[in-house]
Structures are given as structure tokens and as C-alpha cells.
Amino acid sequence: MNGMGEETGFEVVIVVPKGKRKEGGDLAEKGDSVEFLVRELEKAGLIVERFRGVPAEFLKIAAPLIVLGQAAAELELKKLTYIGMELQFEWDMVTAFVRQPDGSLFSWYERYSCFRHLLYGIVNKTDSNIALKFNDKDIKYEKNESLLKRLEIEGVVKQVFPLHDEVKRKQLLRKWALNWLDFTWQPVDEIYSYFGSKIASYFSFLGMYTRWLFFPAAFGLATQLFDFGRMQFLVLPSFFVFIISWAVFFFQFWKRKNSALLARWGINYSLNECKAMPSEANEFNYTDPIKKKFYSSRPAEKTSIQADEWWGIFRKVRNNVIVVLGIICLQLPFELTYAHLYNITQIEVLRYLLTAAYLIAIQYYTRIGGKVAVALIKYENNQGEDSSAASLVYKVFGLYFMQSYIGLFYHAVVYRNLGTLRKVLIQRLIVSQVLENLIENSIPYVSYNYKKYLALHKKKNDNSSPMGKNVRLSTRVEKEFLKPSYSASIGADLEDGLFDDYLELALQFGMIMMFACAFPLVFCFATLNNITEIRADALKLLAMLRRPVPRASATIGAWSNIFQFLIVMAICTNSLLLICLYDQEGKWRIEPGLAAILLIEHILLFVKFGLSHFVPEVSFILMSTFFILFAKK
């Protein structure tokens, strides 16, 4: 416990190789780099527990609250106060700052940022270089250099990652991941306290989205079960109007809920968007003579900024053109060829073989496209990590959009084969979603067991091991070290594993919305899949992966624009599907039925854009409640 009643546990671990070192001895004479690192960490006020495991040696790190508070003050961290303003944190005024929902002073993102500042802030402040050693390897620790960064470059420090808190992890497993009876309910505040705002926002969005799916699922089920007699011709147009209105209202209410969550967590996202990562916060030094000269000249400053802005816009447009041309010239012919071959193939076995070959080929194509997108982003003048991540989202989603929907468009428009379209929708929503969930959760398990087998096998074959053949992983830190990290399949430096989860959700949303009139029952399949997805993703984070590195983002970010784009596409595609159903002869005459469909399309477009602009994202009740709470404090 620390002085303010908060428990202090080991939250970060440093992994180093097992070297041939003797215990004890004079550190200054030996110059051992790991012992030197431990000594410097303790001098910085951190609590270090060092032990040897089977795969490596581990340094578990904890920090008293006062040390984290001092680090937060050095980072000039801004926190919400009880008067409703964000002020720079000062340890002497700690009682003025708003506590987290679980009662702690700092959020998980803030604590981890302070840990990184403390770990990478240990520098050589002497007037000379320091000679260190590791396994007979000489290491030159230069003046004003970060010790941990130097040891990472030399290969002495293998990894630095956050640790799971066993007590909180087991509580979340019991209340959340294994609690199937509550369907879509989730302890969002506890998820925020443990994983951070970005992951908590994702699960809050997924839960609300799944609850709202019950309405179109019930309507879609009714269209399949009941015969509406002479009014049957109005069922699909009514369903079309309903799902578009449902989607528009859902996202407006989600924006309100997201604002309520940010207020409850004490996050001012308008400022949070502009915050730099702690490791980069102090890189821009105004005392540098070149930068001081630049900022002292107003005309030069304005000209330079304008040139950078225009050059950045040009490079972004150029990169987008490259991506679009790649999709049109390379991916579009490939997708149309597959859709055509699938349509003319009559033997089901050959169709499955063709689909298997297509899925294998498209995986390689998507990886190549993702690598190209990441390479292009490096040459863009993006303002911060969030802007680069958003650019990656748009480019990669363009690849997946063509991959996922062009075959469906082909069956719906070219051949007007709605029977085949329904089969493909069922195949992708049932088979693909189930297989993706199995692969998504089985790969971490297989990867962990394979690494575990290699580590134990190597230890058993080590003749110098005192344990002989009786070797096993005895601590949770060793097990977490062997688990895979929560990283994105594309652009891991810019995004974490939520990139793949949001991508899967967006592709599903597009599929059920854009082809709703062809198969209304598709919403039932999506609802059942999402109920499973909530618990599967929770189990993956808590049991199969390392604790994710927290990120500052507190909204769904660029994915919100993706979903809005899919709603507009859904209005167009469903209008086209209704026309195909109405105009079965293919004469495309403007008769009352076709005119009504086009009128509905224009009205829905007006409703979509009208509500987005005129309905406020934050309710007046929420705003007044927010100020009343702070007034009471």
C-alpha cells in the first residue's frame, strides 16, 4: 500500500537474456549491465523484483504513488479537476484532481505513461561515458543517453511490456468473459480501469450495437415468418426505410453515449486528441537555436507552414490515387474473375475448391496491399499518430471493401441472381465469421504452446540445469512472456489489435446493411455472432494475450466515418436491389413503383445527413448533470 490507500503492484516487466553472472560482488568492478540497470531503477524510486525463469530473466517493476505523481508532474500531464477544468498535474495539489471510477488517482494509460517516462528517463548524467558488460560483450553507455534504450539496441533488454493484475483479471473473467447469461451487459468502467479508454470504448460500442441489432433482427424474422397478403409488396420497402432510420439513430445515440462515457471517465477528448505520447512530448525544444530563429520570424514561419501543409496534402492525394489505381487495376479484375467463375461453376465441390483457392490468394494480396499502405503513410505529413492510424484505416478498408463486396454486387446487379446472393451472404456470415472467431482465438493458444514447448525443450536439454528433466513454468510472468501481444495484423506500429476487431465489425455492418433487402434474416445471424464475439474477445484479452499497451484514444476514431459511409452505400444498394426485384423484366421504366423507390432513396439521404447535422451529439441533460456533479464536489 502507498500513502494514499492505493495498492501498488508489479505492473511492468523488463525481459533480459539469462547471462552467466555470479551473484553478489562489487558492481563497480564488474560493470554488469543488468545489475547496473537494477541499481539505477531503484535510484529512480522504483521497486524491482528480479528472478530467473525458464525462457529468460525478468525484472518486475512497481512504483509508489508518489513516484508516479512526480513523473506525471514532469510529463506536464493534464488532469481534470473538481471545478471542471483540465490543469497541469502537481503532486502538492493532488486532492484537487478528479479520481477514476475505481477510486485510483491515475488511469491505466496515465500510469503506463509515467512508467515509460521513469524507465526511459534514466540517462547518463556524468561527464564521461560508462563502460558496461554483458556476457563478455563491452557496452559503451554515452553521456545524456537513455540507459534502457542503449540496452535495447545492444540486445540486453529483449522486451518491456505491461503485466496482468491477477486479482482484477480473475474478477473480469468471472464477471465479464465467462458471464454468458447477461448477453450484452458489460462492466465498462472496470474494463476502462483495467485496459484503458480505447478498448473500453470498443466494447461499449460493440455492446450497444448488438443490443440495437435486436430490433432489425426481429423485423427481419417477421418478414420471413408471416404472410402479409396483399400488403406483401410493401414489406421490403418498409424494412429498407426502417433499417436506414435505425442505423442513423443508432450512431447519433452512440455519439451521446460516448460523450457520457468520456464525462464519467474525466476525459476531455478535444484536448486529448492533441496530446503527444510521453516519449515524444519533450522532443520539440523551443530553446534550440535553429527552432528559436524559425519562431522569431513570423513571415518565414507562415510561409513554411503553408508550404508544409500544401506539400502534405499533395502527398496524401498522391498516395490515395496510388491505392485507388491499385484497387481498380489489380484487385477489381481478380474479384470479378472469381465472381464470374463461381457463377458459371455448377458443381458444388468445385465451388468450394475455387473459394478455398480464392481465400488463400486474397490473404497474400491483402498483406501486400497493407504493407504498401504502411509504406505510403510514412511519406505523408500526418499530424501525430492518430492521423497516421486514420490514414491506414481508410487505405486498408478500401482493399477489404473491394474484396468483401464486389462479388455480392456482381451477383445482385449483373446477373440479378438473388438466390445465389443469399447463399453467399449465408456462407460469409456463418462460415466466415465462425472460422474467423476460431482462428482468432486458436492462433494465440497454438503460438503460446509452441513457444512454451521450445523453451521447456531447450531447458531440458541443458546439461547445466539443476532441475534436470523436471522443468516447468512456475510463474505467471514467464507465461505472459510467451503469450503473443495484442497487435494489428497490418501496421502494428500504428494500431493495436482493435484494428482487426473494428475491421471485422465494419465489414459485417456493411454486409448486413447493403444487402438487407435481399435477405432480411441476415440481421439475426449478425446478432448471434456479436453476442458470441463479446465474450470471445473478452476471453482473448484476459486469458490468451498479454495485457495490451494502453492508448490515449477514447472514441472509435476513423471507423465512425467508415460506418457513416456504409450507411450511404446501403441507401444506394438497397434502392438498386428493390429496383431489381420490382423491374424483373429489366426494362428500367420510370413507373410509379420505381419512382417511389427513388423518392424513398432521396428522403433517406436527407434524413441521414439532416439528423447528423441537426441532432446534438451531447444531450443538455448530460451537460447539466456534468456541471451539477462538479458543483457538488
Side-chain angles (χ1 to χ4, degrees), residues 226-238:
F226 301 104
D227 183 10
F228 294 91
R230 290 185 300 175
M231 305 298 292
Q232 187 69 34
F233 73 99
L234 293 176
V235 172
L236 286 181
S238 301

PDB file of all heavy atoms in Angstrom, residues 226-238:
ATOM      1  N   PHE A 226     -44.109 -14.441 -41.451  1.00  0.00           N
ATOM      2  CA  PHE A 226     -45.506 -14.060 -41.637  1.00  0.00           C
ATOM      3  C   PHE A 226     -45.791 -13.701 -43.093  1.00  0.00           C
ATOM      4  O   PHE A 226     -44.945 -13.149 -43.802  1.00  0.00           O
ATOM      5  CB  PHE A 226     -45.878 -12.881 -40.732  1.00  0.00           C
ATOM      6  CG  PHE A 226     -45.684 -13.156 -39.263  1.00  0.00           C
ATOM      7  CD1 PHE A 226     -44.603 -12.624 -38.582  1.00  0.00           C
ATOM      8  CD2 PHE A 226     -46.579 -13.966 -38.581  1.00  0.00           C
ATOM      9  CE1 PHE A 226     -44.416 -12.875 -37.238  1.00  0.00           C
ATOM     10  CE2 PHE A 226     -46.406 -14.221 -37.236  1.00  0.00           C
ATOM     11  CZ  PHE A 226     -45.322 -13.682 -36.566  1.00  0.00           C
ATOM     12  N   ASP A 227     -47.025 -14.016 -43.503  1.00  0.00           N
ATOM     13  CA  ASP A 227     -47.510 -13.648 -44.828  1.00  0.00           C
ATOM     14  C   ASP A 227     -48.413 -12.415 -44.684  1.00  0.00           C
ATOM     15  O   ASP A 227     -49.432 -12.454 -43.995  1.00  0.00           O
ATOM     16  CB  ASP A 227     -48.283 -14.812 -45.452  1.00  0.00           C
ATOM     17  CG  ASP A 227     -48.747 -14.503 -46.860  1.00  0.00           C
ATOM     18  OD1 ASP A 227     -48.303 -13.466 -47.405  1.00  0.00           O
ATOM     19  OD2 ASP A 227     -49.548 -15.281 -47.409  1.00  0.00           O
ATOM     20  N   PHE A 228     -48.024 -11.323 -45.330  1.00  0.00           N
ATOM     21  CA  PHE A 228     -48.739 -10.065 -45.194  1.00  0.00           C
ATOM     22  C   PHE A 228     -49.804  -9.872 -46.273  1.00  0.00           C
ATOM     23  O   PHE A 228     -50.364  -8.785 -46.412  1.00  0.00           O
ATOM     24  CB  PHE A 228     -47.755  -8.897 -45.222  1.00  0.00           C
ATOM     25  CG  PHE A 228     -46.830  -8.882 -44.041  1.00  0.00           C
ATOM     26  CD1 PHE A 228     -45.610  -9.541 -44.098  1.00  0.00           C
ATOM     27  CD2 PHE A 228     -47.179  -8.228 -42.874  1.00  0.00           C
ATOM     28  CE1 PHE A 228     -44.748  -9.535 -43.011  1.00  0.00           C
ATOM     29  CE2 PHE A 228     -46.323  -8.222 -41.786  1.00  0.00           C
ATOM     30  CZ  PHE A 228     -45.106  -8.878 -41.852  1.00  0.00           C
ATOM     31  N   GLY A 229     -50.054 -10.927 -47.040  1.00  0.00           N
ATOM     32  CA  GLY A 229     -51.135 -10.894 -48.012  1.00  0.00           C
ATOM     33  C   GLY A 229     -50.936  -9.852 -49.091  1.00  0.00           C
ATOM     34  O   GLY A 229     -49.871  -9.760 -49.704  1.00  0.00           O
ATOM     35  N   ARG A 230     -51.961  -9.026 -49.302  1.00  0.00           N
ATOM     36  CA  ARG A 230     -51.896  -8.028 -50.360  1.00  0.00           C
ATOM     37  C   ARG A 230     -50.893  -6.914 -50.066  1.00  0.00           C
ATOM     38  O   ARG A 230     -50.504  -6.170 -50.969  1.00  0.00           O
ATOM     39  CB  ARG A 230     -53.284  -7.419 -50.561  1.00  0.00           C
ATOM     40  CG  ARG A 230     -54.297  -8.386 -51.181  1.00  0.00           C
ATOM     41  CD  ARG A 230     -55.610  -7.684 -51.465  1.00  0.00           C
ATOM     42  NE  ARG A 230     -56.202  -7.140 -50.246  1.00  0.00           N
ATOM     43  CZ  ARG A 230     -57.308  -6.395 -50.236  1.00  0.00           C
ATOM     44  NH1 ARG A 230     -57.908  -6.093 -51.388  1.00  0.00           N
ATOM     45  NH2 ARG A 230     -57.806  -5.960 -49.097  1.00  0.00           N
ATOM     46  N   MET A 231     -50.505  -6.807 -48.815  1.00  0.00           N
ATOM     47  CA  MET A 231     -49.526  -5.781 -48.436  1.00  0.00           C
ATOM     48  C   MET A 231     -48.088  -6.297 -48.517  1.00  0.00           C
ATOM     49  O   MET A 231     -47.160  -5.591 -48.105  1.00  0.00           O
ATOM     50  CB  MET A 231     -49.816  -5.297 -47.013  1.00  0.00           C
ATOM     51  CG  MET A 231     -51.223  -4.788 -46.794  1.00  0.00           C
ATOM     52  SD  MET A 231     -51.600  -3.353 -47.830  1.00  0.00           S
ATOM     53  CE  MET A 231     -50.517  -2.137 -47.103  1.00  0.00           C
ATOM     54  N   GLN A 232     -47.882  -7.482 -49.064  1.00  0.00           N
ATOM     55  CA  GLN A 232     -46.542  -8.073 -49.098  1.00  0.00           C
ATOM     56  C   GLN A 232     -45.568  -7.208 -49.896  1.00  0.00           C
ATOM     57  O   GLN A 232     -44.379  -7.133 -49.557  1.00  0.00           O
ATOM     58  CB  GLN A 232     -46.622  -9.482 -49.714  1.00  0.00           C
ATOM     59  CG  GLN A 232     -45.319 -10.275 -49.655  1.00  0.00           C
ATOM     60  CD  GLN A 232     -44.958 -10.679 -48.235  1.00  0.00           C
ATOM     61  OE1 GLN A 232     -45.829 -10.954 -47.413  1.00  0.00           O
ATOM     62  NE2 GLN A 232     -43.667 -10.717 -47.940  1.00  0.00           N
ATOM     63  N   PHE A 233     -46.065  -6.538 -50.943  1.00  0.00           N
ATOM     64  CA  PHE A 233     -45.165  -5.735 -51.779  1.00  0.00           C
ATOM     65  C   PHE A 233     -44.607  -4.521 -51.025  1.00  0.00           C
ATOM     66  O   PHE A 233     -43.630  -3.902 -51.469  1.00  0.00           O
ATOM     67  CB  PHE A 233     -45.896  -5.281 -53.049  1.00  0.00           C
ATOM     68  CG  PHE A 233     -46.920  -4.208 -52.829  1.00  0.00           C
ATOM     69  CD1 PHE A 233     -46.626  -2.878 -53.080  1.00  0.00           C
ATOM     70  CD2 PHE A 233     -48.198  -4.520 -52.353  1.00  0.00           C
ATOM     71  CE1 PHE A 233     -47.572  -1.890 -52.883  1.00  0.00           C
ATOM     72  CE2 PHE A 233     -49.137  -3.536 -52.151  1.00  0.00           C
ATOM     73  CZ  PHE A 233     -48.833  -2.218 -52.414  1.00  0.00           C
ATOM     74  N   LEU A 234     -45.213  -4.171 -49.893  1.00  0.00           N
ATOM     75  CA  LEU A 234     -44.723  -3.037 -49.099  1.00  0.00           C
ATOM     76  C   LEU A 234     -43.749  -3.453 -48.003  1.00  0.00           C
ATOM     77  O   LEU A 234     -43.151  -2.589 -47.350  1.00  0.00           O
ATOM     78  CB  LEU A 234     -45.905  -2.303 -48.456  1.00  0.00           C
ATOM     79  CG  LEU A 234     -46.860  -1.572 -49.392  1.00  0.00           C
ATOM     80  CD1 LEU A 234     -48.019  -0.981 -48.608  1.00  0.00           C
ATOM     81  CD2 LEU A 234     -46.122  -0.491 -50.173  1.00  0.00           C
ATOM     82  N   VAL A 235     -43.571  -4.767 -47.800  1.00  0.00           N
ATOM     83  CA  VAL A 235     -42.754  -5.237 -46.681  1.00  0.00           C
ATOM     84  C   VAL A 235     -41.293  -4.839 -46.854  1.00  0.00           C
ATOM     85  O   VAL A 235     -40.683  -4.246 -45.949  1.00  0.00           O
ATOM     86  CB  VAL A 235     -42.885  -6.765 -46.530  1.00  0.00           C
ATOM     87  CG1 VAL A 235     -41.882  -7.288 -45.505  1.00  0.00           C
ATOM     88  CG2 VAL A 235     -44.294  -7.136 -46.105  1.00  0.00           C
ATOM     89  N   LEU A 236     -40.704  -5.143 -48.015  1.00  0.00           N
ATOM     90  CA  LEU A 236     -39.280  -4.838 -48.213  1.00  0.00           C
ATOM     91  C   LEU A 236     -39.005  -3.335 -48.249  1.00  0.00           C
ATOM     92  O   LEU A 236     -38.026  -2.882 -47.637  1.00  0.00           O
ATOM     93  CB  LEU A 236     -38.778  -5.510 -49.487  1.00  0.00           C
ATOM     94  CG  LEU A 236     -38.588  -7.038 -49.401  1.00  0.00           C
ATOM     95  CD1 LEU A 236     -38.068  -7.588 -50.710  1.00  0.00           C
ATOM     96  CD2 LEU A 236     -37.657  -7.405 -48.264  1.00  0.00           C
ATOM     97  N   PRO A 237     -39.818  -2.511 -48.941  1.00  0.00           N
ATOM     98  CA  PRO A 237     -39.578  -1.064 -48.831  1.00  0.00           C
ATOM     99  C   PRO A 237     -39.685  -0.549 -47.392  1.00  0.00           C
ATOM    100  O   PRO A 237     -38.906   0.318 -46.979  1.00  0.00           O
ATOM    101  CB  PRO A 237     -40.669  -0.465 -49.734  1.00  0.00           C
ATOM    102  CG  PRO A 237     -40.963  -1.530 -50.726  1.00  0.00           C
ATOM    103  CD  PRO A 237     -40.838  -2.811 -49.974  1.00  0.00           C
ATOM    104  N   SER A 238     -40.649  -1.089 -46.623  1.00  0.00           N
ATOM    105  CA  SER A 238     -40.767  -0.672 -45.216  1.00  0.00           C
ATOM    106  C   SER A 238     -39.545  -1.105 -44.415  1.00  0.00           C
ATOM    107  O   SER A 238     -39.033  -0.348 -43.573  1.00  0.00           O
ATOM    108  CB  SER A 238     -42.037  -1.282 -44.605  1.00  0.00           C
ATOM    109  OG  SER A 238     -43.185  -0.872 -45.312  1.00  0.00           O
TER     110      SER A 238
END
